Amino acid sequence: MNDNSMVSLNEIEAARARVADTIRVTPVNLSESLSARLGVPVHLKLEYLQRTGSFKLRGAANAVSRLSEAEKAAGVVGVSTGNHGRGLAYAASRAGVRCIICMSELVPQVKIDGIRAQGAEVRIVGRSQDEAQGEVDKLVAEGMTMIPPFDHRDVIAGQGTLGLEILDAVPDAATLVVPLSGGGLIAGVAAAAKARKPEIRIVGVSMERGAAMVASLRAGHPVEVEELPTLADSLGGGIGLDNRFTFAMTQRLVDETLLLSEDQIAAGIAHAYWQERQIIEGSGAVGIAAVLAGSIAADGPVVLILSGGNVDMKQHFEVIGRARPDGTSKEA
Ligand SMILES: *Cc1c(COP(=O)(O)O)cnc(C)c1O
């Protein structure tokens, strides 16, 4: 695994030392209810308790710390309005690096406030993501560095630190269940986990509504899919037709992928709330949802990554209100 499209265990271990001051080592809890259901220990990696509310801080912090002094002085720029934007804003502000997040006029105020609260400048340009991207290109031409959300060696290595933490906490883990979108998380986690424990099984979980990586794996090359509204909104978006790392790494390191319906994701969010007392976003609940759906084979200890908690509280209230306290739907 030495070719240039793969991020190595060495890079991930180096990232761990670099991000140690910025990130929080998040806890791992055994879920009594999910363990009873599967008949094997089911552990939850509580990464929604990460600073900024998701694991994206890990990759952003590693990428920022790898910049040269000149690059740090010029600052960083990004387009994400979601978890990557928050993580990048926080990582940059901790490192004393200027950060501009560009977004379109259509982005809701709460997202703008969320990014500003982490210490970034917000620049609102045009009425589409493409126009916002145009502003990023201009800032890059002026000398700032763009930090992308997943397809970047240092970002993948940063996300991989989560894999190291998981194996430290659960050395006998047989299966890791990982939310999957652009693939930075799963590529990093799988690279770390398989380097330490080659026989470990890595399962990627996406939503039925717009899973670009799964469609790309099936096609054998990166493809575009239509973006649709989903409860797992942090899993939306493409993987890039010119994908450099995450497609190849996912193809090589991930054993299985599966897709969930909106109802199944809702059941995951509801179970987390009613049974585990956790408020997590849809994207962070897909592992729980996959277990509840009966899609995870029980052949040894399982670890689910609860990847984020940045949920719209009104939407969350609706989802948990529709469910019975055992997580099942009232209509069912
Ligand atoms: C970004 C994100 C993911 C998916 O990560 P990728 O690296 O894009 O695959 C999963 N969960 C949450 C909460 C996220 O923010």
Side-chain angles (χ1 to χ4, degrees), residues 54-56 83 150 179-185 234-235 281 283-284 307-308:
S54 88
F55 72 88
K56 292 276 197 330
N83 289 333
F150 54 88
L180 171 59
S181 176
L185 176 61
S234 295
L235 303 186
E281 58 180 289
S283 307
S307 53

Side-chain angles (χ1 to χ4, degrees), residues 131-149:
E131 285 179 71
Q133 183 61 49
E135 182 70 12
V136 170
D137 296 344
K138 200 185 105 205
L139 293 168
V140 168
E142 289 168 15
M144 296 185 84
T145 302
M146 151 89 170
I147 310 282

Side-chain angles (χ1 to χ4, degrees), residues 86-101:
R86 285 182 193 229
L88 181 58
Y90 181 89
S93 104
R94 278 286 287 246
V97 170
R98 183 180 180 201
C99 174
I100 302 178
I101 304 289

Side-chain angles (χ1 to χ4, degrees), residues 48-71:
Y48 68 101
L49 300 176
Q50 187 52 263
R51 296 193 171 112
T52 74
S54 88
F55 72 88
K56 292 276 197 330
L57 178 60
R58 296 172 183 266
N62 189 44
V64 167
S65 78
R66 292 264 293 151
L67 298 173
S68 69
E69 288 311 311
E71 286 167 333

Side-chain angles (χ1 to χ4, degrees), residues 113-240:
D113 295 344
I115 302 273
R116 276 208 182 110
Q118 305 295 345
E121 294 165 45
V122 170
R123 192 163 292 181
I124 296 168
V125 261
R127 296 189 59 79
S128 71
Q129 192 77 355
D130 282 354
E131 285 179 71
Q133 183 61 49
E135 182 70 12
V136 170
D137 296 344
K138 200 185 105 205
L139 293 168
V140 168
E142 289 168 15
M144 296 185 84
T145 302
M146 151 89 170
I147 310 282
F150 54 88
D151 199 27
H152 183 291
R153 291 198 90 88
D154 300 326
V155 171
I156 296 167
Q159 319 306 28
T161 61
L162 196 44
L164 299 179
E165 280 177 28
I166 289 172
L167 282 189
D168 287 349
V170 190
D172 63 348
T175 302
L176 305 187
V177 182
V178 188
L180 171 59
S181 176
L185 176 61
I186 208 166
V189 166
K194 288 208 165 167
R196 287 252 179 110
K197 196 174 180 184
E199 72 280 13
I200 202 161
R201 200 162 61 100
I202 310 287
V203 180
V205 188
S206 303
M207 65 295 175
E208 283 169 1
R209 294 171 68 86
M213 181 62 85
V214 174
S216 300
L217 292 170
R218 286 178 185 163
H221 56 89
V223 297
E224 277 170 347
V225 299
E226 191 191 350
E227 204 168 333
L228 298 164
T230 167
L231 286 172
D233 56 348
S234 295
L235 303 186
I239 68 163

